[in-house]
Amino acid sequence: MRGGPRRRAGRPLAALLLLTATACTTGPALENQGAVTAPPGDSKHLTIGSAGFTESDLLAQMYALLLDSAGYSTKIISVTNREIYEPALENGQIDVVPEYAATFADWLNAKEHGADAAPVGSPDLAATMKALRALAAPRGLTVLDPGRAVDQNAFAVTAAYAREHRLRTLGDLGRSGLPVRLAAGDECVRRPYCAPGLKKTYGIDITAVDPKGVGTTQAKQAVRSGRDQMVLTTTTDATLDDFGLVLLTDDKHLQNADYLVPVVNQARAGGEGVRNALGKLNTVLTTADLARLNEQVDSWRRLPEDVARTYLRSAHLIPGDRG
């Protein structure tokens, strides 16, 4: 659901391949060495990981700028596969990554207990964070506090369709009794947050799932054309206006608490310095802010580093230009 850093030059491809080769074979992987216990560290040279899509790039850039301003030396590396970057985070090849609370909790839970383990992420942020921290700590990872921004699954219809049927929420759509063909990923037919959840929680009449992907251009075009009535996307989708689409509020809280959280290597970046530097973002960055920042990169073709710097300066979180 979630898709290269532009800050400085980043690591060359050879270094990335080295990371890929070593991430699964070195360091204190929990499966091989048991629970990791280390005091909080405060290395002044930190590597920040990005998952390689726009939003993750932007967050990595903001983390780097905030840490630079706090006296750290940072570099960013893009590793698009969580199966690679999470072990690299455990063994200290990566020190900080932006993550999503419920998604990461369920991923760690499946890694610990198997793919069929019952999910621990939920719409309840406090319960999700408790489960996530319990799973992360034995791996030598610290999950910092979540902020205000959340990137959840979300559902959109055309503005005209919403006006015609007086729809503001998914509850409104369920009560309308309208048949809905849903543009989404093919896994939507079995995922509890998608077609089954829409039917069970809201009573929405999902007549078919059109397998065009999550928030893809093709999926949005299908809704704009009237072929489908609703599309699965995310709360920080930057291009909804381009397709004349509006989100319907998840008024019964079907979706999990995928709030943005920094995850750090405890031994290298678990100290108060990193916590305080990154915590500044929590009181400022909102879901709407993040959607606008994504738009500047995806639609306006601005560089993530430039967008991140402008935003942090406007929020007075880093110094502005001198002179």
Side-chain angles (χ1 to χ4, degrees), residues 13 16 26 29 33-35 40 50 67 81 87 90 97 114 127 133 151 157 177 182 184 194 211 239-240 255 258:
L13 179 60
L16 178 57
T26 64
Q33 300 186 24
S50 164
L67 289 166
N81 189 319
E90 286 187 34
V97 295
R133 284 170 165 156
D151 186 349
V157 299
L182 176 62
C194 204
T239 63
L240 292 177
Q255 303 305 321
D258 259 329

Side-chain angles (χ1 to χ4, degrees), residues 28-35 86-87 90 108 111-112 139:
L30 184 66
E31 290 81 355
N32 297 324
Q33 300 186 24
E86 189 278 330
E90 286 187 34
L108 287 178
K111 184 175 180 179
E112 177 72 14
R139 295 181 176 276

